Amino acid sequence: MSPVIVTTKTAENETLIIQRPTSGLSLQGSIRIPGDKSISHRALMLGAIASGETTIEGLLLGEDPRSTAKCFSLMGAQISELNTELVRIQGFGSNSLQEPVDILDAGNSGTTMRLMMGILASHADRFFTVTGDSSLRSRPMSRVVKPLLQMGAQIWGRQNNSLAPLAILGQQLKPIHYHSPIASAQVKSCILLAGLMAQGETTVTEPALSRDHSERMLQAFGAKISVDPDTCSVTVTGPAKLHGQQVIVPGDISSAAFWLVAAAIIPGSELTVENVGVNPTRTGILEALEMMGVDFQLQNQRIVAGEPVADIFVRNSPQMKGCNLAGDIIPRLIDEIPILAVAAVFAQGTTVIRDAAELRVKESDRLAVMATQLNRMGAKVTELPDGLEITGGTVLTGTDVDSYTDHRIAMSLAIAALSATGITSIHRAEAASISYPNFIATLQEVCRD
């Protein structure tokens, strides 16, 4: 029999119930995953501030990109109905956004809020107020407010301008060279977007290179971008004139990661995940799985709209082993650490993850939540100040767990539940729709007895 996968709903939330059949199961077939969330956000934003028409194929239809589209629509951008086939945006050029008559609500999306702030701060003499849900209102915004203030922005917010809601009065910004204390694509992108309308060169230097989707897309839209990998620096020259482009969004490797791990840990599995973006700044997950001894292959490698893409074939890997993950690889797999923690439970030996304190200020404290929830299922996970220590080879038992309204936690626990005995109930599982609207349907599709 196939696994029992049931969702129950109340007025407040949704519970996902998973029971592995006693006869076992495997994952088989080929699947396509949703479009890359990072690229989807950036395509919507740049299309809104570029002159002419931008078309987007393969847009992620999750809640986060919808928040981005709604915000920019409130500022006058003409965005067609969102769908995966084709989205059209009619932009009006730089400095073109209108002062909105309402508050801009970023929902649960830190990418929407932080990147958008760089654009808003550069729209002189226009006033904006941005907010988000309860989770986003507790996440640190000082990391982008500080450099924007150095550029001459005027921003006001709670707790000394560190928390939303935030009010922004746009200014003519000046270029800066900002040395970011953390490797963060959101911080880097915010500053680069602000620098689009500053006179001169705006540079961001990071302790390690973060994902480079903004640099690639800004260059495609016509901005002058230079990258110095030796110093982990990126420079944009302003003022820049952006022109509408055709954007094809590849599948999100962060979404692919759930299936790569699931196939690796479930006996008899052979699965192909098609059309996955394999941008080198995002493939830390593949390097980590290789270190753990997972059997996978990149097939049909190609370039699509400037982004490297491949199909990934993965099969069950019973000889997985623990590994150490720290340093420069962490920014390239930061979003995949929750599902890597699940993989580590099924690996022999100990896996140690360090330098990942950034996970404490995501949609949830992902280090604390993954440690407590996996331990509830019988794992041996020790929470470290900046990471996790996981002793592999334990047997998981189904129980009640909670996503804490974090999409990556919800999906990671669902994959863990596939290999647990008994019944697992994942509360607030609706969070998965933020980045993967059809996750549960795909789960049912690929499971075979």
Side-chain angles (χ1 to χ4, degrees), residues 90-108:
Q90 186 62 48
F92 301 100
S94 60
N95 202 33
S96 63
L97 296 180
Q98 302 169 9
E99 186 174 87
V101 297
D102 205 348
I103 294 171
L104 300 172
D105 187 352
N108 189 246

Side-chain angles (χ1 to χ4, degrees), residues 70-405:
K70 184 177 179 181
C71 286
F72 280 86
S73 293
L74 285 173
M75 293 183 284
Q78 296 180 9
I79 303 175
S80 67
E81 182 180 352
L82 300 189
N83 62 75
T84 58
E85 299 300 321
L86 189 69
V87 175
R88 296 183 183 275
I89 304 175
Q90 186 62 48
F92 301 100
S94 60
N95 202 33
S96 63
L97 296 180
Q98 302 169 9
E99 186 174 87
V101 297
D102 205 348
I103 294 171
L104 300 172
D105 187 352
N108 189 246
S109 177
T111 302
T112 301
M113 181 171 286
R114 293 191 178 112
L115 270 62
M116 183 169 64
M117 286 176 63
I119 295 172
L120 303 184
S122 66
H123 274 65
D125 302 320
R126 270 153 281 189
F127 181 78
F128 311 91
T129 303
V130 296
T131 190
D133 66 9
S134 59
S135 171
L136 188 54
R137 292 196 303 272
S138 68
R139 295 172 65 181
M141 294 299 143
S142 56
R143 56 183 55 184
V144 294
V145 171
K146 180 181 177 181
L148 290 176
L149 292 176
Q150 291 180 22
M151 297 179 77
Q154 292 193 29
I155 302 173
W156 302 267
R158 295 187 298 125
Q159 294 192 17
N160 195 28
N161 304 332
S162 65
L163 297 177
L166 293 154
I168 301 167
L169 179 60
Q171 302 291 316
Q172 177 59 54
L173 301 181
K174 60 185 179 184
I176 62 170
H177 186 162
Y178 185 67
H179 293 268
S180 178
I182 57 174
S184 167
Q186 292 183 1
V187 172
K188 175 178 64 178
S189 299
C190 171
I191 299 167
L192 294 177
L193 289 169
L196 287 175
M197 290 168 57
Q199 186 72 45
E201 294 186 343
T202 297
T203 301
V204 183
T205 297
E206 302 179 283
L209 283 173
S210 60
R211 61 186 64 176
D212 67 353
H213 299 304
S214 291
E215 296 95 295
R216 288 172 181 260
M217 194 173 294
L218 280 167
Q219 195 164 36
F221 273 74
K224 183 180 178 182
I225 299 287
S226 59
V227 180
D228 184 349
D230 293 334
T231 61
C232 299
S233 298
V234 182
T235 299
V236 62
T237 302
K241 293 183 179 180
L242 305 184
H243 304 280
Q245 298 294 315
Q246 292 181 316
V247 179
I248 301 174
V249 182
D252 197 324
I253 195 168
S254 295
S255 296
F258 299 105
W259 307 117
L260 301 180
V261 170
I265 65 177
I266 296 174
S269 296
E270 290 191 348
L271 192 65
T272 300
V273 188
E274 299 176 342
N275 197 47
V276 182
V278 288
N279 182 307
T281 61
R282 297 284 300 281
T283 51
I285 175 66
L286 299 182
E287 294 173 39
L289 293 178
E290 187 173 31
M291 291 165 62
M292 298 177 82
V294 173
D295 184 1
F296 71 90
Q297 301 168 11
L298 297 187
Q299 302 173 341
N300 191 23
Q301 297 186 58
R302 58 213 186 266
I303 300 294
V304 178
E307 289 278 350
V309 175
D311 303 332
I312 306 178
F313 172 77
V314 59
R315 59 164 57 96
N316 175 234
S317 306
Q319 303 303 315
M320 287 171 59
K321 58 186 184 295
C323 67
N324 294 328
L325 299 170
D328 290 353
I329 195 174
I330 296 298
R332 296 188 292 112
L333 52 65
I334 192 72
D335 287 337
E336 291 76 65
I337 287 176
I339 190 60
L340 276 172
V342 174
V345 172
F346 295 88
Q348 297 303 312
T350 301
T351 296
V352 179
I353 301 168
R354 304 301 300 258
D355 301 323
E358 174 71 10
L359 290 178
R360 295 200 181 277
V361 291
K362 293 288 188 177
E363 286 84 338
S364 67
D365 181 340
R366 288 177 176 166
L367 297 178
V369 173
M370 284 306 297
T372 57
Q373 301 308 297
L374 286 176
N375 284 340
R376 285 178 61 85
M377 300 178 74
K380 295 180 180 179
V381 183
T382 301
E383 185 182 340
L384 305 175
D386 63 344
L388 299 170
E389 183 175 306
I390 303 153
T391 301
T394 57
V395 177
L396 298 187
T397 303
T399 186
D400 282 6
V401 291
D402 196 324
S403 78
Y404 285 76
T405 68

Side-chain angles (χ1 to χ4, degrees), residues 1 20-24:
M1 59 178 290
R20 186 187 70 181
T22 55
S23 59

Side-chain angles (χ1 to χ4, degrees), residues 1-25:
M1 59 178 290
S2 296
V4 176
I5 302 174
V6 178
T7 57
T8 62
K9 296 182 180 181
T10 67
E12 288 84 30
N13 56 62
E14 180 176 289
T15 298
L16 175 62
I17 301 170
I18 297 177
Q19 181 178 10
R20 186 187 70 181
T22 55
S23 59
L25 63 87

